[in-house]
Amino acid sequence: MRYFDIFSRFFSVFTAGGPAADRPHRPSRPPRPFSPPRPLLLAGLLLFLISCTAAVTAEQVHESVIAGSWYPANPQVLRQQIEGYLNKVPVSKPQGSLVALISPHAGYPYSGPVAAYAYKLLQGRSFDTVVIVGPNHNPPGFLGVSVYDRGGYQTPLGLVPLDTEFIDALKKADGDVRYVATAHDREHSVEIQLPFLQTVMPGFKLVPLVMGDRDYGTCRRLAEALVECAKGKSVLLVASSDLSHYHPRGLAQIMDGRVADRVAKFDPKGLAGDIAEDNAEACGSGPIVAVMLAAQKLGADRSEVLKVGDSGDATGDTSRVVGYMAAALWSTKEKKMSEEKSTVKDKLDADEQQLLKQIAREAISCALENRTYSLPESLPDSLKAPCGAFVTLTINHQLRGCIGHITATAPLAETVREMAVAAAFEDPRFSPLTASEWAKTDLEVSVLTPLERVTNVEDIKPGVHGLYIRKGMRSGLLLPQVATEYGWNRVTFLEQTCRKAGLGKNDWKDPDAEIYWFK
């Protein structure tokens, strides 16, 4: 019922009374046992109005409009689906500092394998705020840009909070940015990106934008406002867009190739021209252009097209396909400096990571047979460099052993060989691993970056940083993935690391406690 109707009914009760001649005749009835005085009615009316105001102004969480259709509604199934897509994407070396991504927004069975190429890059990275710019697919249309500023976005993987400070600043910086209710009611282009982000980079805040029109002037103004609000902050930009719609694959590949070429050449103005002249198609061309313009002003100087595909890859029907693209925008100006500071972990490629797991497995298998495992004679240089590492064993997702070296005291390959045997047979929390258990044991190798002293605990990012806390003779360590597995926030992560050390949960606050992080 509308608040006005409720108020009218309440007010009619409050005003009932007056001379009998002014009211319709009613049959006689017993006197009422109690008739509240009008001051009490007035107080009730005021309380009612206050409650209505509170209901209107309370945070309005944006509930999912596509869970169960565009992607699974079951959290476990959804996470497994996303991880399946990510696991099929090869690890690539970073091209610099990541500034922005371009990702498709169709249902996951169609666009998920392509989107995974973009979100794979976020594994091991962290941003405080993610700005997602998507197009409006639902009538009625509107001019400018709509920002959802009512409350967080809900998905099966949890609630994504808004960066209200960024949103308020953005509305002040660009008069075209305001809230348009119809822009978000049934729009999927922003929401479809969230489960991927929640899986690879939990803990971020969201700025959800929907563009009502894609003219170059709107793109330029939005880009300038984003730059003004993002400078000096940890912000990732994401443009949400599919490419051509419902053409035969041959024609679609020509049109999609033009978009990919403009993106690869970092040419947002040329892309806008191709779209305006109908030489190419992208439902999110406005978001792509705006994000590219903003990324350039934020220092991005390299654009990389990661993957291009279409719906026919999933359906087998190539007569009418929808095109998808994943791309990344990088700043390479500090690349040389970052390469000089890169750790052994940063230099490992997918083959070298797989070789480490093979070494760990062979070491345990040989130990079960009372044999000593010898390392391969030919090893990559990165595996010969000193580096700390942990080996974790699990059976049916339950811990079965975990031991490692924190500091780099031996070559990485040798450390992994020794820690694998120790995790299997020397972890004091478990009995030695048996051959029957080994057949169903999963193994994970965690290569560590050097320990760094934490100067501000507010900078700790669960899921990105591992923690090592030392106080007196006691110390404890938890790997980054532990916080992700249990969904811990920063404070809980600190408390649990203290408990791992045998300390009180709040001992991390003690000035004598030493807190270190690693990745």
Side-chain angles (χ1 to χ4, degrees):
M1 184 182 294
R2 294 177 301 176
Y3 292 134
F4 178 80
D5 295 333
I6 299 173
F7 172 77
S8 299
R9 294 188 183 189
F10 191 98
F11 192 73
S12 68
V13 173
F14 172 68
T15 55
D22 296 334
R23 302 197 302 272
H25 173 73
R26 293 175 181 171
S28 62
R29 60 186 177 185
R32 296 176 181 173
F34 173 73
S35 179
R38 292 190 179 183
L40 290 179
L41 287 172
L42 179 58
L45 174 62
L46 291 175
L47 288 173
F48 175 77
L49 292 175
I50 290 171
S51 67
C52 288
T53 302
V56 172
T57 57
E59 182 176 278
Q60 299 172 18
V61 171
H62 186 283
E63 299 292 342
S64 173
V65 296
I66 56 178
S69 54
W70 295 61
Y71 58 67
N74 181 290
Q76 184 177 359
V77 175
L78 174 57
R79 192 178 293 276
Q80 288 176 345
Q81 185 183 59
I82 291 172
E83 290 175 349
Y85 295 143
L86 293 168
N87 289 338
K88 293 179 180 178
V89 177
V91 177
S92 60
K93 292 186 180 293
Q95 302 299 311
S97 299
L98 188 61
V99 179
L101 295 174
I102 300 171
S103 176
H105 57 229
Y108 280 3
Y110 308 103
S111 70
V114 175
Y117 277 79
Y119 289 113
K120 182 82 169 185
L121 297 175
L122 292 182
Q123 291 182 330
R125 286 186 169 83
S126 177
F127 292 90
D128 294 336
T129 300
V130 178
V131 179
I132 302 178
V133 190
N136 177 49
H137 290 89
N138 302 305
F142 63 94
L143 298 178
V145 181
S146 178
V147 58
Y148 191 82
D149 56 4
R150 313 284 127 156
Y153 265 62
Q154 184 73 42
T155 81
L157 300 185
L159 180 68
V160 182
L162 300 184
D163 188 335
T164 54
E165 181 180 338
F166 192 106
I167 289 172
D168 290 342
L170 187 63
K171 289 191 289 188
K172 292 178 182 178
D174 184 357
D176 287 342
V177 178
R178 77 282 189 200
Y179 171 65
V180 180
T182 56
H184 305 271
D185 287 345
R186 293 178 290 113
E187 183 54 59
H188 63 275
S189 62
V190 170
E191 182 191 332
I192 198 75
Q193 311 297 338
L194 296 180
F196 265 102
L197 286 162
Q198 289 172 292
T199 299
V200 299
M201 195 183 69
F204 66 94
K205 291 184 178 180
L206 173 66
V207 177
L209 302 175
V210 175
M211 294 190 71
D213 61 299
R214 62 188 187 188
D215 70 274
Y216 193 74
T218 299
C219 295
R220 181 178 49 78
R221 288 189 295 273
L222 176 59
E224 291 172 353
L226 289 173
V227 171
E228 180 180 335
C229 298
K231 275 188 175 177
K233 299 180 181 178
S234 174
V235 177
L236 174 72
L237 306 179
V238 177
S240 178
S241 180
D242 291 339
L243 302 183
S244 63
H245 281 55
Y246 309 125
H247 300 293
R249 173 174 277 179
L251 176 58
Q253 288 178 339
I254 293 174
M255 301 181 77
D256 297 347
R258 291 173 183 150
V259 176
D261 184 60
R262 292 294 188 182
V263 170
K265 292 178 179 177
F266 219 143
D267 183 9
K269 193 168 186 178
L271 174 59
D274 284 343
I275 297 293
E277 295 171 6
D278 293 327
N279 292 325
E281 289 181 0
C283 55
S285 61
I288 294 176
V289 171
V291 164
M292 290 178 71
L293 289 170
Q296 284 180 329
K297 292 180 180 292
L298 289 170
D301 55 1
R302 174 180 171 82
S303 182
E304 180 185 14
V305 174
L306 304 165
K307 183 70 173 177
V308 178
D310 61 54
S311 57
D313 298 329
T315 66
D317 181 3
T318 60
S319 62
R320 296 175 76 247
V321 301
V322 177
Y324 313 121
M325 176 184 67
L329 308 179
W330 305 89
S331 173
T332 65
K333 296 175 182 177
E334 299 180 4
K335 184 179 179 183
K336 184 176 181 180
M337 183 182 300
S338 65
E339 286 177 345
E340 291 173 354
K341 294 181 179 180
S342 64
T343 64
V344 173
K345 178 178 179 178
D346 296 327
K347 297 175 182 177
L348 294 176
D349 60 25
D351 291 338
E352 291 165 343
Q353 291 172 350
Q354 189 61 36
L355 179 56
L356 284 177
K357 292 186 70 173
Q358 181 180 336
I359 288 171
R361 286 197 165 276
E362 291 290 342
I364 294 174
S365 295
C366 287
L368 283 168
E369 299 172 0
N370 294 318
R371 295 186 295 112
T372 300
Y373 172 67
S374 299
L375 293 171
E377 293 183 3
S378 178
L379 285 172
D381 290 340
S382 57
L383 271 60
K384 298 177 183 177
C387 186
F390 271 69
V391 175
T392 303
L393 306 180
T394 57
I395 297 178
N396 294 327
H397 303 289
Q398 298 297 314
L399 183 65
R400 185 58 182 82
C402 181
I403 289 184
H405 269 316
I406 304 172
T407 54
T409 58
L412 176 57
E414 185 177 322
T415 298
V416 168
R417 177 183 62 180
E418 293 179 0
M419 294 306 100
V421 173
F425 306 106
E426 300 171 17
D427 190 327
R429 297 167 294 179
F430 304 94
S431 59
L433 190 73
T434 65
S436 59
E437 288 179 312
W438 179 229
K440 53 186 178 183
T441 298
D442 292 319
L443 180 150
E444 180 179 7
V445 176
S446 300
V447 180
L448 309 186
T449 60
L451 293 177
E452 294 183 50
R453 186 74 179 264
V454 176
T455 57
N456 183 1
V457 295
E458 298 293 327
D459 294 333
I460 296 171
K461 300 186 184 302
V464 175
H465 295 124
L467 289 181
Y468 174 69
I469 296 180
R470 182 171 63 198
K471 181 184 175 185
M473 299 297 292
R474 296 181 179 273
S475 63
L477 177 146
L478 287 177
L479 298 172
Q481 55 265 41
V482 177
T484 300
E485 180 180 354
Y486 290 100
W488 290 339
N489 60 24
R490 181 176 60 252
V491 172
T492 304
F493 195 21
L494 285 161
E495 292 174 347
Q496 293 296 328
T497 309
C498 284
R499 287 181 170 175
K500 179 73 179 295
L503 300 169
K505 72 173 187 177
N506 291 318
D507 278 0
W508 61 272
K509 301 177 182 178
D510 193 311
D512 292 333
E514 300 176 23
I515 305 175
Y516 299 84
W517 66 23
F518 59 90
K519 295 181 180 179

